[in-house]
Amino acid sequence: MDPSFYKDTTTSRGLTYHYYHSPAAPGKPTLLFLHGFPSSSYDWHRQVEYFQPKGYGLIVPDDLGAGGSSKPENLEAFRFVEIARDMAEVLDAAGVEKVVGIGHDWGSVILSRMANLFSERFHGFAWVAVWYSPPGMGLRDIDATIMQLREQTGTDHIGYWKLFLEEDGHKLCEQNIDSFIQLIYPNQPEVWREWINPAWKSKEWIEANRTPGRPSWLSEEEYNTIRENLVRSGLKSQLNYYKVSVTDLNDQDSNNISQEALQVRKPVLFIAASKDLVSTPATGKAQLAQYAPHAKIVELDVGHWVMYEATEQLNRELEAWIESLPLSK
């Protein structure tokens, strides 16, 4: 992504956001892309390469804790309603009133809070792999949650959170950065069944410094860029997305969001990933049936990293849906 398109803005909270901005051509909407963990705006570079030449406006921030944006260590900074307000201020800084929102992973959660608080600023919402989630869904007792999931599904499901919640979990991951990357970006989606889903297996993988190699869907240049970005930014701040989720900080904010605002009334697209062994499509479909029953759902036969594993399919589905939006013209 061309560095000359990046800008910086400081929000009213005093936090700096580094974001890619390409203005829209006449008649084209602006797309807001929000990435997840352990990522940066670079995760969307294939979408930027596709949509920018077609005249779509683009705003692609480094989310809080990532890339060139601020990296606070206090959990309070990572309340999702506050990050949503930060992102609204990024739109203001870019001079864009209304956008199409596209989120992945934790970016999907940020987009969810923006849907609750700033729905009027969106033509529609697209959630990729990870679906819309209402507020107040904290996992304060992670052990109880894992046990419940084990009983219901036969797997711990989110066992990797145990490592990410450790005080010094970031140090182990940074010391064995290639092992960490090759676990999170696996060469086969099934790797997660053995090494991500069960509690503590991710720690075992990284302590053993397992490095089976980069996946075929990442070029060597892409892998090296992801690696360089992680080495430069570190993981400590980004891991606060997990740590804040086992506190009541986000639950407190849910009291200030009305029941009406929990329903997503704008057009919705959910791109499900059938081989994602953490964010399973069935769970996402059930959630949308409750909060956005009108959602268009497309399921792709890939793992979690849809933007890399199914680039052309994702781009086509996004473009067709965006072009169908009544306010995108």
Side-chain angles (χ1 to χ4, degrees):
M1 293 166 68
D2 187 341
S4 68
F5 283 87
Y6 276 93
K7 302 179 184 299
D8 294 287
T9 188
T10 300
T11 68
S12 57
R13 290 204 291 163
L15 298 170
T16 297
Y17 279 85
H18 190 59
Y19 66 99
Y20 186 97
H21 181 211
S22 177
K28 288 290 188 179
T30 294
L31 315 181
L32 170 68
F33 285 96
L34 299 173
H35 69 83
F37 176 89
S39 310
S40 69
S41 54
Y42 181 76
D43 257 4
W44 297 110
H45 77 97
R46 294 187 187 182
Q47 283 62 56
V48 169
E49 291 164 4
Y50 181 83
F51 285 103
Q52 186 168 335
K54 292 173 177 279
Y56 292 90
L58 298 168
I59 299 176
V60 195
D62 287 335
D63 292 346
L64 192 65
S69 294
S70 291
K71 300 171 183 63
E73 295 185 5
N74 59 309
L75 293 185
E76 184 78 20
F78 284 83
R79 289 165 52 198
F80 287 111
V81 296
E82 295 299 335
I83 297 175
R85 292 186 179 108
D86 290 343
M87 288 300 177
E89 292 186 34
V90 170
L91 299 185
D92 292 340
V96 176
E97 179 60 31
K98 211 160 189 177
V99 296
V100 177
I102 302 160
H104 176 257
D105 198 82
W106 285 114
S108 290
V109 181
I110 297 169
L111 187 62
S112 298
R113 291 298 77 73
M114 295 191 80
N116 300 141
L117 298 172
F118 304 105
S119 180
E120 74 283 356
R121 301 197 67 167
F122 289 86
H123 299 301
F125 300 92
W127 281 280
V128 180
V130 178
W131 48 88
Y132 166 78
S133 59
M137 298 184 68
L139 305 174
R140 273 174 270 177
D141 190 337
I142 191 67
D143 291 317
T145 300
I146 287 174
M147 184 170 294
Q148 182 181 28
L149 288 168
R150 187 183 301 160
E151 292 172 353
Q152 293 174 346
T153 68
T155 176
D156 297 351
H157 201 64
I158 57 169
Y160 66 99
W161 278 53
K162 296 288 286 183
L163 170 61
F164 290 175
L165 293 172
E166 283 197 308
E167 183 177 354
D168 291 332
H170 65 285
K171 292 182 180 179
L172 176 65
C173 297
E174 290 168 356
Q175 289 164 0
N176 299 285
I177 192 65
D178 287 294
S179 181
F180 169 74
I181 293 171
Q182 290 169 35
L183 173 61
I184 302 302
Y185 297 81
N187 53 23
Q188 296 293 333
E190 292 75 20
V191 168
W192 280 15
R193 193 185 311 279
E194 181 178 358
W195 297 101
I196 282 286
N197 293 153
W200 298 119
K201 292 293 285 186
S202 56
K203 185 173 185 178
E204 180 183 331
W205 169 292
I206 296 171
E207 283 181 332
N209 200 26
R210 294 172 61 95
T211 51
R214 64 177 170 84
S216 60
W217 37 266
L218 275 183
S219 71
E220 184 175 358
E221 179 182 0
E222 287 171 327
Y223 180 92
N224 288 337
T225 300
I226 290 169
R227 188 185 191 282
E228 289 165 7
N229 286 341
L230 287 176
V231 169
R232 184 164 53 247
S233 67
L235 294 168
K236 186 174 185 180
S237 182
Q238 270 203 84
L239 282 172
N240 281 331
Y241 286 104
Y242 295 91
K243 293 177 179 178
V244 76
S245 298
V246 296
T247 72
D248 64 355
L249 288 172
N250 286 311
D251 291 347
Q252 293 171 8
D253 292 321
S254 67
N255 297 328
N256 298 319
I257 296 176
S258 70
Q259 288 297 310
E260 174 68 16
L262 296 182
Q263 299 294 317
V264 185
R265 311 279 180 198
K266 295 293 179 69
V268 170
L269 172 66
F270 174 42
I271 303 288
S274 65
K275 293 181 179 178
D276 189 330
L277 296 175
V278 173
S279 304
T280 57
T283 306
K285 292 173 184 177
Q287 192 85 295
L288 289 171
Q290 181 176 356
Y291 293 100
H294 60 287
K296 177 182 179 181
I297 299 175
V298 176
E299 189 165 338
L300 303 182
D301 191 29
V302 294
H304 183 69
W305 299 98
V306 182
M307 64 278 284
Y308 290 116
E309 297 180 61
T311 304
E312 292 182 4
Q313 291 171 285
L314 175 61
N315 290 346
R316 285 198 304 267
E317 293 291 348
L318 284 174
E319 185 176 26
W321 174 74
I322 291 164
E323 287 299 307
S324 75
L325 297 177
L327 299 179
S328 67
K329 306 300 183 184

